[in-house]
Structure formats: structure tokens, C-alpha cells
């Protein structure tokens, strides 16, 4: 064992590297590139060892900022270094890589070791990838869901009627939650919504809400907000609800994947932990979404409902249109602005956004008994059009530590480029994946002001030179790169009625 003092490096290098002076390593069984278990008063993690002559002094261990996002280690903390045995999980991950079924205790071990930082990025990535390739059966998914919830905090509300809505994501512009939560909260139901940051999209709900107010609230702050406003819209990753969720999501994001076993367990674990009893799952379906066909969506819905039954959460699934972006705004600030426009004056908002939001909210109002059967959508519309939802949104924004702003006060990227129609014709396709790529190339979601504002939707007739969409960014360099990508990949297809002329074979 080595006893060292922590020296924190303010550097995001993205992996669990630790640096030890080579004098300290002399005569020990620890070698560069080895994995060592680092135990500190704030928690333990597995780090890849690097040696140095000068970066840290004898008696110090250099630790990077990445770690402190998961474990609140401070400068000067005592650290005990031990050889990191190969985690038990490695054998179980190999089993899943080989397509085998994992036993409950094997799944528990993987989640436990992931959450206690004993797995390196390599093992975590191998696990996520093996689920993407080989999947899991429902028993495995149930075990993973339970463990993901049990390894974190659980919130217990002192009432039974706690509802939530959660989208599996995958469709650009899906800012629906910013309407559904205020509508449902204004109706008096308790809706403590947790969201993840973007996984495959250019803006996750947590990224969008963060434009308007704080989302990294503590459990106590969340309870306070929900008690006073009936709702919240917070980032699940900031609190210890299902901690494995944020670890796996951080691996899914660069690969832009969302394997079904994790999709099911991630959503459900967060909801169990948040004490949700009634949950509506939004399953956007269509070309370019995570789910392509109605049949696939129905099969996923059945799995959600079955899983819900096993973990005592009442689930209803809404299969929604996901064949093109929801609304016109893609990117955190653009989507926050569009959501505010919808709350301020629904007539000015895209009908796809309004329609989806009041439909989902309507289901929750019926489940919650504050609207008669089949009348939920009408009640939701009334709450939206009367301004009650906007008022509630301002309450939630304030309670979470933000300053309510009107839509025209939301800042978007100062650099912009307009993409125009190359010919007369009709918009026949808006590629979810390509439009997301353009928005991300412009800098979203890290650059909150970056994104894409659509000027057309599928079916619109356009003339050569008409505006199709505008790309925004805070950086001219990123904007130019996004424009190049847009010009190379054509996210929006414009075609005449004469699609192809064949005059000879
Ligand atoms: O589209 P991608 O990024 O893959 O999925 C992630 C998004 O889907 C869910 O949306 P919501 O919280 O129900 O609004 C997550 O919380 C996250 O915002
Ligand atoms: O919250 C979410 C949404 C989609 N997929 C996940 O894994 N988690």
C-alpha cells in the first residue's frame, strides 16, 4: 500500500488517470499503466497509474477533475493506493460480450462495481457495447433496473399520486417536457421530473431547462421545489438517483447509441428512485428515431409495461410521431425559447409541439383523476391557453433558482447561416440524424446557443432560394464547419414531383 496526499489537477482529461512520483513507486508492485484502487475519505475509484519526475512531489498523488465529478475528493485528502484486483465484473462482462445470459448476482456485481468506481472506462464501455450487440432478457433487465435504483438514493413522497412523463428520446427538438410538467403541475398533480442530458440528440431536456434555470439541484432542494410548486425539471445526473445511469449515459453519448436494456433500465431506475408511481413513456417512432416502426414501438411499450409491473410503477406508453423533428427549434437555447413561446402564446408555436404536449399531459391528467376519461387533452389545452401553465413554469424556474425570462430575452448564437432550397419542389424528408449532426457540429449541446431553426417541415412547398433552415453558433469556426456538413449531407430533401426520369436502360 502507498499512503499519499491528493493534489487535484484542474484538467478534464476524461479518463481516471492518476499520477505518482516515480520515487514513490520504487520498490512497490505498482507500475505505469497498472490499475490501482485509490481510496480516499470521499470515496474510492480505480485509476490508471502514470509515473512522473516533476508533475507531483514525493508523497503526492495527482488526481484529475473528472473524478471529482463523481467523488468529492479535495486537495490534501489522504489517499491509500492498493493494487486493483481485476474486478469480478470483467468475467461477467465477457459473458455478455459472448451473448450469454447473466445471473442476478452477476448483474448486481457489475452495477455495484461500476457505481463504486472499480471499473475503468474500458470495462464500462465494453459492457454498454455488449448490451448494444447482444441485449438482455426481461429478467436480466429487471435485475439491472432494481440494482441501478438501489445503488443510489430513493425519494419517498408523502403521497401516493406521484406522476411523471419520460421520453426515450431520439427525436430532435423534443422539448415537450417543458410544457407537460407545468401543465400537469398547474393541475395540482405532483410531477418531480428528472431528465438526462442529451444522449443521442443535440439537446437533452436537462440541457434545455438549464438555459432557463438551475438543474443541478440536490435532493433536498428538489423536495423543496416540488413541495412549493408541485413539479420540477432537474438533471438526474446531479443527484444520486440511480448513479449508474449517468455513467452509462456518458458512454452512450460519444457512441450515439442507446441499447434497449439500458433504455429500459435507465428510465425505470430513475423513476423508481424518484418515487414515481404513474409514468407515461413517450416513444417517438419513425425513420431516424430510436424506434422505426409502430410494431417495434408496441414491443418496446410491452416491455416497459411488463418491467413497470415488476417494479410496481404503473406505466402507460404513448407512441408518438418521430419521423421528423418536433417543432422547429433544435438546440438548448432555441428549444427553451420555443417552449416559452408555446407557453406564452400557443398560437405562435409549432402545432406539432403543442399537439404532442397536450396529448401527453392529457394522459397524465386522466391517470391523476383531475380530468374525466378522454377529456385530459381538453383540460390540458385549457391550462395551456389560459396562461396557467406559463405562470407555473415561472414558479418552477424561480423555485429552481432561475430568473423567469420572456422568450424574446433568450439569447441564441450570434453567428448564423441560412440554408436555402436548391430547387423548386416539396420538402420530402427531414433527416433526424443529419439535422442533429449539423446542430452538434455547430456546438450543441455544450454550446447552449448553438443549433438549428427549421423554416420548413415535411410537405411544405418551396421555391428555389426559399429559406429551409438557419444554423446558429457562438463560434464562427463551428458555424462554418456546420454549414460545410449541411451542404455535404443535405439534411432536408427538396424534390419536385418528377422524382426521377428514366429514358433508357
Ligand atoms: O434524445 P436523446 O438525447 O437520445 O435522449 C435523451 C433525452 O430523452 C429524455 O427526455 P425527457 O427527459 O423525457 O424529456 C431524457 O431525459 C433526455 O432528455
Ligand atoms: O433517460 C433516458 C432516456 C433515454 N435513454 C436512456 O437511457 N435514459
Amino acid at each position: 500500500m502507498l499512503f499519499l496526499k491528493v493534489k487535484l489537477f484542474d484538467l478534464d482529461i476524461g479518463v481516471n488517470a492518476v499520477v505518482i512520483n516515480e520515487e514513490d513507486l520504487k520498490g512497490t508492485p505498482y507500475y505505469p499503466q497498472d490499475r490501482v484502487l485509490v481510496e480516499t475519505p470521499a470515496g474510492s475509484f480505480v485509476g490508471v497509474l502514470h509515473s512522473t519526475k516533476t508533475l507531483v512531489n514525493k508523497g503526492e498523488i495527482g488526481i484529475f477533475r473528472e473524478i471529482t465529478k463523481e467523488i468529492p475528493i479535495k486537495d490534501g485528502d489522504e489517499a491509500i493506493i492498493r493494487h486493483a484486483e481485476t474486478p469480478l465484473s470483467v468475467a461477467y462482462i465477457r459473458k455478455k460480450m459472448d451473448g450469454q445470459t447473466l445471473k442476478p448476482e452477476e448483474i448486481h456485481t457489475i452495477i455495484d462495481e461500476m457505481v463504486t468506481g472499480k471499473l475503468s472506462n474500458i470495462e464500462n464501455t465494453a459492457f454498454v457495447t455488449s448490451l448494444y450487440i447482444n441485449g438482455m432478457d426481461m429478467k436480466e433487465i429487471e435485475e439491472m433496473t432494481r440494482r441501478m435504483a438501489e445503488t443510489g438514493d430513493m425519494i419517498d413522497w408523502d403521497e401516493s399520486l406521484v406522476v411523471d412523463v419520460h421520453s426515450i428520446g431520439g427525436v430532435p427538438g423534443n422539448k415537450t417536457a417543458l410544457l407537460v410538467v407545468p401543465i400537469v403541475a398547474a393541475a395540482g398533480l405532483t410531477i418531480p421530473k428528472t431528465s438526462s442530458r442529451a444522449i443521442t440528440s443535440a439537446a437533452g431536456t436537462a440541457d434545455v431547462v438549464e438555459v432557463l434555470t438551475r438543474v443541478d439541484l440536490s435532493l433536498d432542494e428538489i423536495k423543496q421545489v416540488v413541495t412549493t410548486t408541485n413539479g420540477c425539471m432537474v438533471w438526474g445526473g446531479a443527484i444520486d438517483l440511480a448513479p449508474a445511469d449517468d455513467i452509462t449515459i456518458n458512454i452512450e453519448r460519444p457512441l450515439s447509441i442507446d441499447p434497449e436494456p439500458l433504455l429500459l433500465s435507465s428510465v425505470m431506475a430513475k423513476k423508481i428512485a424518484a418515487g414515481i408511481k404513474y409514468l407515461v413513456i413517450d416513444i417517438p417512432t419513425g425513420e431516424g428515431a430510436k424506434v422505426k416502426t409502430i410494431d417495434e414501438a408496441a414491443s418496446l411499450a410491452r416491455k416497459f409495461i411488463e418491467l413497470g409491473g415488476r417494479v410496481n410503477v404503473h406505466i402507460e406508453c404513448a407512441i408518438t410521431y418521430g419521423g421528423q423533428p418536433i417543432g422547429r427549434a433544435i438546440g438548448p437555447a432555441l428549444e427553451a425559447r420555443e417552449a416559452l413561446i408555446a407557453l406564452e402564446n400557443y398560437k405562435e408555436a409549432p402545432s406539432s409541439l403543442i399537439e404532442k404536449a397536450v396529448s401527453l399531459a392529457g394522459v397524465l391528467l386522466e391517470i391523476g383523476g383531475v380530468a374525466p376519461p378522454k377529456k385530459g387533452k381538453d383540460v390540458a389545452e385549457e391550462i395551456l391557453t389560459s396562461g396557467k401553465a406559463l405562470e407555473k413554469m415561472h414558479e418552477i424556474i424561480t423555485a429552481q433558482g432561475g430568473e423567469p425570462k420572456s422568450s424574446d430575452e433568450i439569447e441564441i448564437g450570434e453567428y448564423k447561416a441560412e440554408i436555402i432550397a436548391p430547387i423548386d419542389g416539396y420538402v420530402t424528408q427531414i433527416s433526424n440524424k443529419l439535422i442533429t449532426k449539423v446542430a452538434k457540429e455547430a456546438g450543441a449541446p455544450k454550446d447552449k446557443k448553438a443549433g438549428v431553426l427549421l423554416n420548413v417541415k415535411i410537405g411544405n412547398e418551396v421555391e428555389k432560394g426559399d429559406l429551409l433552415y438557419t444554423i446558429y453558433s457562438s463560434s464562427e469556426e463551428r458555424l462554418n464547419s456546420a454549414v460545410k456538413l449541411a451542404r455535404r449531407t443535405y439534411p432536408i430533401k427538396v424534390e419536385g414531383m418528377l422524382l426521377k426520369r428514366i429514358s433508357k436502360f
Side-chain angles (χ1 to χ4, degrees):
M1 274 195 289
L2 267 180
F3 293 85
L4 301 170
K5 276 230 183 304
V6 169
K7 177 174 169 38
L8 275 190
F9 286 117
D10 186 20
L11 183 63
D12 266 340
I13 56 173
V15 288
N16 300 359
V18 296
V19 183
I20 297 179
N21 188 294
E22 61 184 29
E23 289 301 312
D24 284 323
L25 294 175
K26 276 194 177 114
T28 70
Y30 312 127
Y31 303 96
Q33 300 308 318
D34 267 3
R35 285 152 40 139
V36 287
L37 178 59
V38 181
E39 289 172 316
T40 74
S44 64
F45 67 95
V46 167
V48 176
L49 176 56
H50 299 271
S51 72
T52 177
K53 286 190 170 60
T54 58
L55 204 55
V56 296
N57 300 320
K58 243 174 94 49
E60 287 179 330
I61 175 169
I63 290 179
F64 294 89
R65 198 165 63 173
E66 201 68 16
I67 298 287
T68 58
K69 283 180 189 160
E70 302 291 333
I71 309 170
I73 295 176
K74 290 189 297 304
D75 233 10
D77 274 0
E78 297 282 334
I80 303 173
I81 316 307
R82 299 177 204 279
H83 173 66
E85 293 93 50
T86 305
L88 293 172
S89 301
V90 173
Y92 308 147
I93 293 169
R94 279 300 306 271
K95 271 182 77 172
K96 188 44 78 178
M97 287 167 73
D98 296 335
Q100 296 174 46
T101 302
L102 296 178
K103 296 190 187 81
E105 61 276 12
E106 293 172 339
I107 294 169
H108 299 167
T109 302
I110 292 173
I111 299 300
D112 293 352
E113 292 191 327
M114 180 186 289
V115 166
T116 52
K118 289 192 175 49
L119 300 187
S120 70
N121 280 22
I122 292 170
E123 281 112 17
N124 286 332
T125 304
F127 180 57
V128 171
T129 312
S130 69
L131 296 185
Y132 177 76
I133 296 168
N134 294 319
M136 277 181 155
D137 63 30
M138 279 310 284
K139 182 67 189 139
E140 290 176 297
I141 293 171
E142 178 193 344
E143 290 302 332
M144 183 155 73
T145 303
R146 288 183 187 286
R147 204 63 175 197
M148 283 176 88
E150 287 157 8
T151 44
D153 294 328
M154 313 273 257
I155 307 181
D156 189 17
W157 306 96
D158 53 9
E159 57 181 292
S160 59
L161 194 51
V162 185
V163 306
D164 200 353
V165 60
H166 202 91
S167 174
I168 66 163
V171 61
N174 197 23
K175 72 271 313 168
T176 326
L178 278 80
L179 303 186
V180 173
V181 171
I183 290 172
V184 170
L189 292 179
T190 301
I191 177 163
K193 174 143 182 57
T194 56
S195 287
S196 75
R197 291 188 184 283
I199 301 173
T200 65
S201 67
T205 296
D207 301 310
V208 178
V209 174
E210 198 166 46
V211 172
L212 305 174
T213 185
R214 275 184 58 213
V215 293
D216 57 347
L217 275 65
S218 67
L219 279 188
D220 290 344
E221 289 173 318
I222 291 170
K223 283 188 177 162
Q224 181 60 34
V225 170
V226 174
T227 308
T228 47
T229 70
N230 292 335
C232 70
M233 287 171 282
V234 295
W235 174 39
I239 40 188
D240 225 15
L241 297 183
D245 182 43
D246 212 48
I247 294 170
T248 51
I249 283 179
N250 285 337
I251 286 165
E252 291 173 328
R253 185 176 299 116
L255 300 167
S256 201
I257 60 172
D258 197 356
E260 187 182 86
L262 281 175
L263 174 59
L264 284 155
S265 57
S266 154
V267 172
M268 201 56 79
K270 275 197 279 274
K271 302 309 163 186
I272 298 170
I276 304 299
K277 292 286 173 268
Y278 296 87
L279 175 61
V280 170
I281 307 255
D282 165 30
I283 304 178
T285 300
E287 182 55 42
K290 287 178 187 174
V291 177
K292 298 277 172 297
T293 67
I294 295 287
D295 286 352
E296 268 179 57
S299 128
L300 181 63
R302 262 195 303 280
K303 289 178 182 166
F304 265 116
I305 291 168
E306 185 189 336
L307 181 57
R310 291 168 182 237
V311 296
N312 196 22
V313 176
H314 173 81
I315 303 282
E316 294 218 15
C317 290
I319 299 176
T320 59
Y321 176 67
Q324 69 173 334
I326 310 294
R328 295 176 182 278
I330 298 153
L334 286 161
E335 294 190 36
R337 183 176 69 170
E338 188 171 274
L340 284 179
I341 289 169
L343 289 162
E344 289 164 356
N345 178 358
Y346 71 102
K347 293 195 189 76
E348 280 177 28
S351 53
S352 59
L353 172 62
I354 301 294
E355 175 63 20
K356 179 170 179 180
V358 295
S359 303
L360 291 176
V363 173
L364 281 174
L365 298 184
E366 288 172 24
I367 290 175
V370 292
K374 305 226 183 314
K375 290 288 174 212
K377 187 177 169 187
D378 299 344
V379 174
E381 262 166 15
E382 193 280 329
I383 294 173
L384 177 64
T385 55
S386 65
K388 285 188 212 118
L390 176 65
E391 202 182 313
K392 181 56 76 176
M393 180 59 150
H394 288 163
E395 267 180 58
I396 294 174
I397 286 172
T398 307
Q400 292 189 198
E403 278 281 305
K405 291 196 188 82
S406 64
S407 53
D408 54 14
E409 292 175 278
I410 303 298
E411 287 177 28
I412 53 178
E414 58 187 297
Y415 297 98
K416 67 177 191 177
E418 299 190 338
I419 307 291
I420 57 172
I423 58 167
D424 294 358
Y426 294 84
V427 176
T428 56
Q429 193 206 6
I430 297 182
S431 163
N432 285 336
K433 292 195 187 312
L434 291 177
I435 209 78
T436 294
K437 277 208 173 96
V438 168
K440 287 163 99 168
E441 191 58 30
K446 288 199 168 62
D447 170 5
K448 290 208 173 346
K449 298 177 182 176
V452 167
L453 186 61
L454 300 172
N455 190 45
V456 294
K457 299 299 283 290
I458 289 175
N460 287 170
E461 184 174 6
V462 293
E463 287 175 10
K464 183 178 165 87
D466 281 358
L467 176 63
L468 293 178
Y469 57 97
T470 307
I471 308 171
Y472 291 90
S473 179
S474 302
S475 140
E476 195 165 15
E477 180 187 352
R478 292 296 293 261
L479 179 76
N480 294 337
S481 167
V483 169
K484 267 198 219 104
L485 178 66
R487 294 221 167 103
R488 200 171 62 244
T489 57
Y490 280 100
I492 295 189
K493 263 190 189 39
V494 175
E495 290 173 295
M497 289 310 280
L498 176 62
L499 297 180
K500 198 174 177 69
R501 196 171 149 185
I502 298 176
S503 46
K504 61 180 181 306
F505 281 89

